[in-house]
Amino acid sequence: MATRVPVQVSDTARQPVASVRDLTRRFGERTVLDRLDLEIGRGEFIALLGRSGSGKSTLLRALAGLDGEVEGGLTVTDSVAVAFQEPRLIPWKRVHANITLGLPGKGAAQGPKERADAALAEVGLSERAGAWPLTLSGGEAQRASLARALVREPELLLLDEPFSALDALTRITIHQLVLQLWSVHRPAVLLVTHDVDEALLLADRVLVLDEGRIAHDSAVSTPRPRHRDDPDLLSLRATLLSALGVSPEGSS
Amino acid sequence: MSVLELGTPVRTEIRPGPQPSPAAQNRRPRGKAWQRWISPLVLVVVWQIASSTGLLPERLLAAPSTVATTAVDLVQSGTLLTAIAVSLQRVLIGFAGGGLAGVGLALVAGLSHKGENAVDPIMQMLRALPFFGLIPLFILWFGIGETPKVLLVALAVSFPLYLNTFAGIRGVDAKLAEVARTVRLSKTQLIRHIVLPGALPQTLVGLRQSLGVAWLALIVAEQVNANAGLGYMINDAREFLRTDVIVVGLLVYSALGLLTDALVRLLERRALTWRREFLSK
């Protein structure tokens, strides 16, 4: 069973929002995560790269508390929100009700309704608040999914390839939106992706997962807004691609 | 005719993304709707001519005109309405009881594995019984009053609702259940917000099937023994070779069947708006 211990009160600012020690996950004979160590600092924007089947999503699911069969140490803040690859909106609830799903009605400074209104406004979806999810476009649905995660004001936001199903233009807009939301709310973000450029464009720190462990960990210090052809990013890109076992020439 | 087939759950797919709209598939070329009335009308006309010329003797099948006047007579004398009231009452009570049992058992079986182990084997075993074959036992147990008829309807109704609701609950997208976990819904909230609404489309399929079976069960029960109701009216008419009354009774059965089906479809339209707007897009 995954442990879900709230961050201790002492010295909160320096406490990591998630700390993973010796995390192992086996599926039958296959070891997908192999004694993995990872610490996610407060407000840090991390991109997690890895080939298909490298265990990226397994790690994310463990952090989200969705995997009860991991072994090892896992301490994660109580305040986690997830946006999945598919928006996973509840089809029989209107967009607004999807956002308020599970929000506590009492005790908060603002009621769930007002908080959802604010979150929808932030992702630019106010006018679709009353729509049924199945009538949304892919981009709109993913915005709604982001709003549902953000409305919880998480300390750790887990993004599981949420942009991969979007068309190129929508993706650029949503990238901007995510950066903007991150700079306002400052959650720690773990973005699982297989897109090296996306990782370099968004993250402070890029990890490469290989054979169940963090095989590569590099900070990205290039100031935002970033451009793909920034020389620092290009050299880092080559490093990451080789860490992923791809020759840069043959990729994009 | 196989009752088992009626009870088999039909999967309805609910998933976002492009899907061929059933409405579009069923759409017929416009302006031709009246043409579909030609062949039934011709059939009635041929039937009437055959009866009038004596080709079709009255003791085998009454003429459409006779059927119509008999229907008016039966309504005016109050016989028909009384019979309908009796039959409708049997169906309603049986349907309510069987429906509650079917959905209730499906909830028990669908929401926990313990419940499934307790309920499902028995339901699968009972489902394999030809329930019309139970009539002799029911008569022995409950006599020939209202009880065996209502129970037969209830039994017939409970299986399609059980099977479809159970399949509906188990068919709820596990990914949505994960969302419920990440937003920290309690077990009760999960059932209320995700599981039950997710199972509803399939339950409504079961509802339509079970209403069809309900009328069928009633007809059979009323044929076997009854001293009131539509079946009694039909059986009584047989004794006196009144084929006109029999035809009226059959027409009323089918009209009632269509009516209840229309009610469920209305319910479906109201309950599944979230899906309809998507399909009509």
Side-chain angles (χ1 to χ4, degrees):
Chain A
M1 188 62 211
T3 42
R4 186 177 269 293
V5 181
V7 170
Q8 300 304 304
V9 195
S10 61
D11 203 6
T12 337
R14 305 203 53 176
Q15 279 285 343
V17 290
S19 144
V20 176
R21 287 272 169 275
D22 266 339
L23 192 74
T24 300
R25 176 66 162 104
R26 294 189 184 86
F27 292 93
E29 295 288 287
R30 220 161 65 89
T31 304
V32 175
L33 299 179
D34 184 12
R35 287 165 291 143
L36 181 139
D37 291 332
L38 173 66
E39 209 152 87
I40 301 176
R42 211 153 271 279
E44 210 176 10
F45 198 135
I46 301 181
L48 179 65
L49 288 165
R51 282 172 296 190
S52 300
S54 59
K56 306 187 292 286
S57 291
T58 308
L59 177 57
L60 180 133
R61 291 173 56 83
L63 290 167
L66 290 174
D67 190 340
E69 290 173 52
V70 285
E71 302 155 34
L74 182 66
T75 313
V76 186
T77 166
D78 221 13
S79 163
V80 186
V82 192
F84 295 96
Q85 183 169 9
E86 334 80 73
R88 298 201 189 179
L89 300 173
I90 314 298
W92 45 87
K93 289 187 176 292
R94 293 181 193 268
V95 170
H96 194 277
N98 260 283
I99 310 300
T100 53
L101 189 69
L103 276 187
K106 292 166 196 158
Q110 268 184 312
K113 194 190 171 306
E114 290 71 31
R115 288 169 67 189
D117 287 342
L120 280 171
E122 266 195 296
V123 299
L125 215 57
S126 294
E127 76 281 11
R128 302 292 272 145
W132 293 111
L134 292 178
T135 64
L136 299 182
S137 71
E140 285 173 333
Q142 206 50 267
R143 282 164 191 267
S145 166
L146 277 176
R148 181 171 64 191
L150 278 170
V151 78
R152 279 143 239 282
E153 288 163 16
E155 287 178 351
L156 175 59
L157 175 62
L158 300 170
L159 302 175
D160 190 4
E161 303 194 37
F163 318 120
S164 60
L166 302 176
D167 64 86
L169 291 174
T170 313
R171 196 180 314 172
I172 294 171
T173 329
I174 303 255
H175 281 164
Q176 296 311 316
L177 177 66
V178 166
L179 273 183
Q180 187 202 327
L181 294 170
W182 172 70
S183 63
V184 174
H185 299 277
R186 285 283 161 175
V189 177
L190 183 77
L191 166 68
V192 166
T193 177
H194 50 239
D195 182 340
V196 175
D197 293 316
E198 184 172 278
L200 290 171
L201 205 60
L202 299 175
D204 292 324
R205 187 177 155 202
V206 182
L207 309 175
V208 174
L209 192 62
D210 193 30
E211 301 197 325
R213 290 176 164 222
I214 306 290
H216 187 95
D217 185 344
S218 45
V220 188
S221 47
T222 315
R224 298 182 178 90
R226 295 175 183 160
H227 297 280
R228 285 167 154 251
D229 39 10
D230 185 293
D232 292 346
L233 292 185
L234 284 178
S235 77
L236 191 50
R237 183 172 188 271
T239 319
L240 290 170
L241 284 173
S242 76
L244 286 162
V246 187
S247 63
E249 295 78 26
S251 63
S252 60
Chain B
M1 118 101 250
S2 158
V3 176
L4 293 182
E5 265 166 41
L6 281 170
T8 309
V10 180
R11 302 285 307 132
T12 50
E13 295 281 328
I14 320 148
R15 62 171 61 130
Q19 250 185 359
S21 145
Q25 283 170 350
N26 295 337
R27 201 168 295 142
R28 299 189 186 92
R30 275 177 197 285
K32 310 259 176 169
W34 60 273
Q35 291 184 355
R36 295 183 53 80
W37 288 94
I38 296 178
S39 55
L41 280 174
V42 167
L43 186 71
V44 173
V45 170
V46 169
W47 175 7
Q48 179 67 50
I49 291 170
S51 296
S52 305
T53 54
L55 211 63
L56 185 63
E58 175 113 13
R59 78 187 151 77
L60 291 186
L61 192 60
S65 54
T66 320
V67 171
T69 46
T70 306
V72 173
D73 289 347
L74 285 171
V75 171
Q76 281 173 349
S77 69
T79 319
L80 187 60
L81 296 183
T82 316
I84 290 178
V86 170
S87 293
L88 205 56
Q89 193 189 343
R90 286 173 185 153
V91 163
L92 286 179
I93 297 174
F95 178 78
L100 280 178
V103 172
L105 288 169
L107 290 179
V108 172
L111 295 177
S112 80
H113 284 285
K114 273 184 198 158
E116 182 184 355
N117 288 338
V119 173
D120 199 53
I122 297 174
M123 289 304 276
Q124 298 297 341
M125 266 151 52
L126 288 178
R127 182 167 85 102
L129 280 181
F131 64 85
F132 292 142
L134 291 174
I135 293 176
L137 268 184
F138 273 25
I139 291 174
L140 281 176
W141 292 345
F142 308 111
I144 54 165
E146 291 300 295
T147 320
K149 298 175 191 63
V150 169
L151 274 180
L152 196 69
V153 172
L155 194 68
V157 158
S158 58
F159 288 104
L161 268 171
Y162 169 79
L163 292 169
N164 281 286
T165 307
F166 180 58
I169 291 174
R170 286 303 162 87
V172 169
D173 194 347
K175 291 179 169 178
L176 296 183
E178 280 190 355
V179 169
R181 282 176 71 186
T182 63
V183 302
R184 311 284 167 81
L185 292 193
S186 66
K187 175 105 184 182
T188 328
Q189 287 172 318
L190 170 76
I191 292 170
R192 184 174 143 218
H193 293 293
I194 312 285
V195 178
L196 295 186
L200 187 62
Q202 192 68 47
T203 302
L204 288 173
V205 171
L207 187 64
R208 281 181 75 178
Q209 289 180 352
S210 66
L211 274 172
V213 190
W215 284 108
L216 198 66
L218 179 80
I219 293 166
V220 172
E222 289 189 338
Q223 296 291 321
V224 174
N225 64 82
N227 47 23
L230 283 169
Y232 169 73
M233 191 184 87
I234 290 175
N235 258 351
D236 195 42
R238 192 196 61 210
E239 305 273 325
F240 301 99
L241 302 179
R242 288 288 304 270
T243 51
D244 51 342
V245 176
I246 296 179
V247 172
V248 170
L250 291 177
L251 289 177
V252 170
Y253 270 139
S254 47
L256 288 171
L258 288 176
L259 187 74
T260 45
D261 195 58
L263 281 176
V264 181
R265 271 187 294 173
L266 190 73
L267 186 70
E268 235 167 31
R269 275 225 298 282
R270 298 199 60 136
L272 305 181
T273 15
W274 56 272
R275 210 163 53 154
R276 186 170 44 127
E277 280 179 25
F278 162 64
L279 289 174
S280 62
K281 199 172 66 151

